[in-house]
Structure formats: C-alpha cells, structure tokens
Amino acid sequence: MTLAEFIAALEALQSEASRVFAGVQSKEDLEEARVRFLGAKKGAFREVQQQLGKISKEDKPQAGQQLNKVKKALAEALENATDSLKEKDSGSDSPTPDPTLPGIPMDLGHVHPITQTIEHLKEIMGRMGFESAEGPEVEGPWHNFVALNIPEDHPARDPLDNFYLATAGATAGEEGSQLMRSQTSTVQIRVMEKRQPPIRIVSLGRVYRPDAPDATHFPMFHQMEGLLVDQNVTMANLKTVLRVFANNYLGSDVPIRFRPSFFPFTEPSVEVDFLWNDQWIEFGGAGMVDPAVLTAVGYDPEKVGGFAFGLGVERLCMRRHNITDIRDLYSGDLRFLSQF
Ligand code: FA5
C-alpha cells in the first residue's frame, strides 16, 4: 500500500465517521457508530491502522502522523455526539414545569403519646391543686434510697437491679456513687428538703431499671409521683385523690383495688390495681409517708403527715388507649405512633 492510498483511506474514514456521528439521534445510534468506527477489534479505524505495517519504512512517520490526527478527530466526533444527545435528553423531552400544580404534601410530626399522656396527667392533677415538680434523672444513693428509708442491705439497692454509673472513687451503692434514678420518689425528698408543708406536688418523669422488656415492662419508663404533706392527712384523702384521678383519666366506671403491700418509705402501704379486661393489673404503689422519711428531711412527724403515690405512666396510657404491648410505644414505628 502506498502512502497516498493510506491517506485516502484515512480521509474517507474521517468524512464517513463525521457524517454518521453528526446524524446520531439516540443512545442506540451512538453505540452503533462507536462500534462501527472505533470498535477495538473490528472498528473501521482499527482496520486502517492495521494497514500501517504495509507502508514503506520512509513513509511510515508521515502515515503515523496522519493516523493519529484522524484518531483524535474520531474521538472528538464521538464526544460531541454524546454531548448533544445529553442536551437533547435534558431539553425538549422533559416536561415543562407547571407552576399551578399543588405542592407535594409533607407529613407534620406530632407529640409522642407518652408526652401527650404526661401533659394530660399534669393537667388533671393540676385541677386538684397538685403543682408540677421536677428532679434530676442522675441521682445519688441519698435521694434514691437512704432518705427514702431503704436500708443498705435492701435488694432494691443491688447493683444488678439498677443502672449505676461508673463514678471515680465510689463503689456502686455507696455515698458518692451515681445511678439513673429507679423511681420518681427521689423528687419527694428533693421537694421536702427545700420547702415546708403544706406541700402538694406531682412529678412526672423518666426512671430506669434493668428489667427485661416484655408486654408490660421496659428498661426506661415513666412514673407519676404524687406527694401531699399537711396536717391531719389520712388514708381516706389518698384514696379520694386516686379515685378522682381515675375517674378523670380512665372513666368513672373503672374499678380500683387497694391491696396491702410494703414500701420502706410509706406506712401503711398499698398497691394500686385497676381492672383491665377482667384482670386486676398493678398500676403503682402508694401509702402514708413513713415518719422516718419526714425525719430525714427535717420535718416533725408529730406535727405533719402525708401521703404519696407512684403510678406507671405507660400503663395508664396503655389502659386508656387499649395498647396491649408497651414496646409499641418505643418502637419508633410511625404506623403505630401516628394513631395518637
Ligand atoms: C415504686 O416505684 C414506688 N416508688 C411507688 C411508690 C411511690 C410507692 C410512692 C409508695 C409511695 P414500683 O416498683 O411498684 O413502685 O413501681 C410502680 C409502678 O411503675 C408499677 O406499678 C408499674 O406500673 C410501673 N413499672 C415498674 N417497672 C416497670 C417497667 N419495667 N416498665 C414499665 N412500667 C414499670
């Protein structure tokens, strides 16, 4: 093959390729043209390139130069065709935006059912004159146990039954150690330490216990603590307050049972059960504030007395809304939560 023939073949290839690439209308056309002219095995360029071996030694440098020029031109033609196809895709084929269409509706979040319950409970208790009080969730043994008359060897203080925090220099359970409070009764102590009777507070907040989760237990849950301290307070006052509370929150026909029980910080003590689906379910504990507790906070048990109660908030919410598994409340499943 002569140099002139080689160059003629290159020119023919370039003009044909330019024509084809310029006429590309679709992705399929583009791919077909790419394979036809630039295919690595059987492409037209490759075929001409293979003729280079037949060119004489003297003409080879010039033939090589021409070959490279055409190679570059073909690569450019491919690139241009690709670009113009892209432009075409994003241009006339895409729908014209219609500014009169309505927007995409967005779901608005709402308050979690337990938070709604807490607000509702505060409101009912507020109407009976109980003001809202708060205390910290990280506590020391004094507020969680000692001032509540829970002795050192009581099982409730066992490190395995509480979430103690790693506290430098203090053994779990000893003064100086810290734990996530296991009950809101801590707030009774905090309020009485600061204030003098008459006291009438309610405290709603989180508590923590290493309980295995099941339908009625969760390791983090909420309690509603009530405390009333005054002169001449009797068990009848406690029963009336809980009865009026139940009437308002659960309905006047809800049967309540007070079952004799024991708490170190109340004497006498009761367990408070509500009937639910023909079964008595425990909702909390209550009783008359133990004189030892009144003494621990500096009150004179000869002059003042009181009652206290602590109810499980999740169980109240579940009873009211007929929720059968506490874990649903904390699953984060919006199909469940958005019903409230
Ligand atoms: C107490 O925590 C006492 N502080 C209550 C009290 C206060 C008694 C004031 C006397 C005076 P108890 O451990 O029984 O008591 O818990 C009270 C309620 O919390 C239970 O009846 C239950 O409704 C709820 N509860 C307890 N453990 C869990 C749990 N793991 N998950 C969900 N709710 C729970």
Side-chain angles (χ1 to χ4, degrees), residues 211-219 315 326-327:
D211 288 347
D214 62 21
T216 52
H217 293 86
F218 209 70
R315 291 195 194 167
I326 190 173
R327 290 166 294 196

Side-chain angles (χ1 to χ4, degrees), residues 148 182-186 188 207-214 216-226 262-266 268-273 281-289 307-316 318 326:
L148 287 164
S182 61
Q183 49 183 349
T184 45
S185 300
T186 52
Q188 290 185 35
V207 299
Y208 303 83
R209 292 179 193 178
D211 288 347
D214 62 21
T216 52
H217 293 86
F218 209 70
M220 184 284 303
F221 60 101
H222 296 72
Q223 288 186 332
M224 173 168 76
E225 192 82 14
F262 173 79
F263 293 99
F265 36 94
T266 45
S269 304
V270 290
E271 216 89 58
V272 184
D273 301 339
I281 307 286
E282 179 205 311
F283 276 73
M288 303 309 290
V289 181
F307 68 73
F309 59 86
L311 305 180
V313 172
E314 279 76 3
R315 291 195 194 167
L316 288 169
M318 287 163 74
I326 190 173

Side-chain angles (χ1 to χ4, degrees), residues 21-91:
F21 276 120
V24 155
Q25 297 293 332
S26 65
K27 273 189 194 157
E28 292 73 30
D29 286 357
L30 182 68
E31 181 57 9
E32 203 182 300
R34 188 192 66 76
V35 172
R36 179 173 159 199
F37 295 105
L38 289 163
K41 277 189 188 156
K42 291 188 179 160
F45 178 79
R46 177 88 183 126
E47 268 169 27
V48 178
Q49 191 180 32
Q50 277 165 350
Q51 304 300 315
L52 190 63
K54 294 182 186 160
I55 302 292
S56 67
K57 217 175 172 187
E58 311 81 71
D59 291 336
K60 220 170 235 167
Q62 204 190 333
Q65 248 177 24
Q66 287 300 317
L67 189 78
N68 280 337
K69 251 195 214 165
V70 172
K71 189 180 181 183
K72 231 171 122 186
L74 293 191
E76 262 169 35
L78 170 68
E79 204 179 302
N80 291 341
T82 310
D83 287 350
S84 62
L85 205 61
K86 261 192 213 150
E87 255 170 50
K88 205 174 124 204
D89 277 355
S90 61

